Amino acid sequence: MNEIVLETEALTKYYGSTLAVDHIDLKIPRGCICGFVGRNGAGKTTAIKLMLGLLNPTTGSSRLLGCDSSALTSAIRQRIGYVTEGHRLFRWMTIAGLEKFQRSFFPKQWDDKFFADMIEYLNLPKKKKIKHLSNGQRAQVSLALALAPNPELLIMDDPTLGLDAAIRRQFLEGMIELIMRQGRTVLFSSHILGDVERVSDRIVVIDKGVLRANCSLEQFQKAIKKVILSFADSAPDEVNIDGLLHCKRIEKQLELTLIGTDDEKISEWAKSVGAENYHIVKMNLEDQFIEFTAPANHKRLFQWEER
Ligand code: ATP
């Protein structure tokens, strides 16, 4: 694995009696675009704030670019970009005013040309106040502000929330633009699994505060499969196959969702239970995520790791 730019160790946060983040051990290598996904209330925003040192953990720790999150120096902060949920920007400022303000924090590395090109490409009115911009325009300004200092590590919390498909695509292209500058790393949370599937090469899944997956997107997508088996008479009462996430019975058919079960095993199992035939259905990331995080109809909670 490459150099680790973001690392957490047993990172845990309680809000009163609510356990929001539960002993998360995470390692993100340099140079990836990592989709950070989880259902509403899974703990994504809390984890991101902990990583950035904006919240104190109850127990555990995290490190960004080798520096403890609770003591990020200004030199380290200058190497990190952060886009908040909802794009909180000073509403009374113009885009030009915000640029000047933001540039003052990054005197050495602010890329004037990149910012100007991005504003022009996105057709943003530089003299307009933030409060007079649409949500989509605010999101674009916020991405331009985060990218202009050329951050090594860009962390974004649901940056495309509420944006239309075309603007989301522009936004994601901005992210790819960043990653193409060698060695840059992006972690972004999103509920739009289609976007995560399109741009990420890594996926982190969090579920009720627990880390459930942290691996390459390719591995995750290869691992989760749906298999439909047909039987001449009736489907077996017991389904006992490794990697079973969910099982549905539809008349003489069984629909299984499996994780990490290879095709050979599926074929052997289908034979052993006397299936007439079976086929493996291709799933997109959204379907896989829903199946992976749906309450399992067995007791084991799968955690999917790099293999
Ligand atoms: P969403 O996708 O809906 O934005 P999320 O994955 O970002 O959710 P968090 O906002 O981190 O989830 O919330 C995790 C849990 O912590 C939830 O149960 C939430 O109700 C709780 N929580 C979040 N912030 C606070 C707070 N300031 N005080 C008390 N509980 C909180």
Side-chain angles (χ1 to χ4, degrees), residues 25-39:
D25 289 312
L26 190 61
K27 281 189 169 79
I28 304 295
R30 183 180 287 276
C32 64
I33 299 187
C34 178
F36 187 26
V37 299
R39 298 186 159 208

Side-chain angles (χ1 to χ4, degrees), residues 33-37 168-169 172 175-176 188-204 216-218 220-222 224 282-289:
I33 299 187
C34 178
F36 187 26
V37 299
R168 277 199 344 259
R169 191 155 289 201
L172 298 168
M175 264 171 40
I176 293 167
F188 76 109
S189 69
S190 178
H191 288 287
I192 302 173
L193 277 294
D195 286 351
V196 173
E197 187 167 15
R198 186 161 351 101
V199 302
S200 307
D201 49 23
R202 193 167 185 88
I203 185 166
V204 169
S216 76
L217 183 70
E218 191 189 353
F220 187 81
Q221 295 213 268
K222 259 193 196 159
I224 301 179
K282 192 165 164 44
M283 296 171 86
N284 62 24
L285 184 64
E286 183 171 281
D287 295 337
Q288 292 177 312
F289 169 78

Side-chain angles (χ1 to χ4, degrees), residues 25-135:
D25 289 312
L26 190 61
K27 281 189 169 79
I28 304 295
R30 183 180 287 276
C32 64
I33 299 187
C34 178
F36 187 26
V37 299
R39 298 186 159 208
N40 286 130
K44 301 177 298 295
T45 298
T46 305
I48 285 177
K49 286 186 174 165
L50 292 168
M51 290 167 191
L52 287 158
L54 302 173
L55 270 180
N56 292 322
T58 308
T59 56
S61 62
S62 80
R63 292 170 79 75
L64 295 187
L65 303 173
C67 183
D68 196 284
S69 299
S70 62
L72 293 176
T73 60
S74 80
I76 295 280
R77 283 192 186 280
Q78 287 189 16
R79 293 161 59 196
I80 301 167
Y82 173 41
V83 176
T84 56
E85 199 176 24
H87 307 284
R88 274 173 237 124
L89 300 169
F90 294 121
R91 294 174 62 80
W92 47 272
M93 279 191 169
T94 60
I95 297 178
L98 257 183
E99 178 195 8
K100 202 168 156 198
F101 176 70
Q102 195 76 356
R103 191 204 284 122
S104 67
F105 295 101
F106 303 94
K108 290 197 191 118
Q109 69 212 65
W110 188 268
D111 188 336
D112 284 313
K113 184 172 177 331
F114 176 85
F115 188 83
D117 287 352
M118 200 149 164
I119 295 298
E120 195 188 316
Y121 169 69
L122 297 168
N123 210 9
L124 291 167
K126 254 190 120 169
K127 290 187 184 149
K128 257 199 180 176
K129 290 192 172 163
I130 298 299
K131 67 181 171 191
H132 296 137
L133 300 180
S134 72
N135 281 340

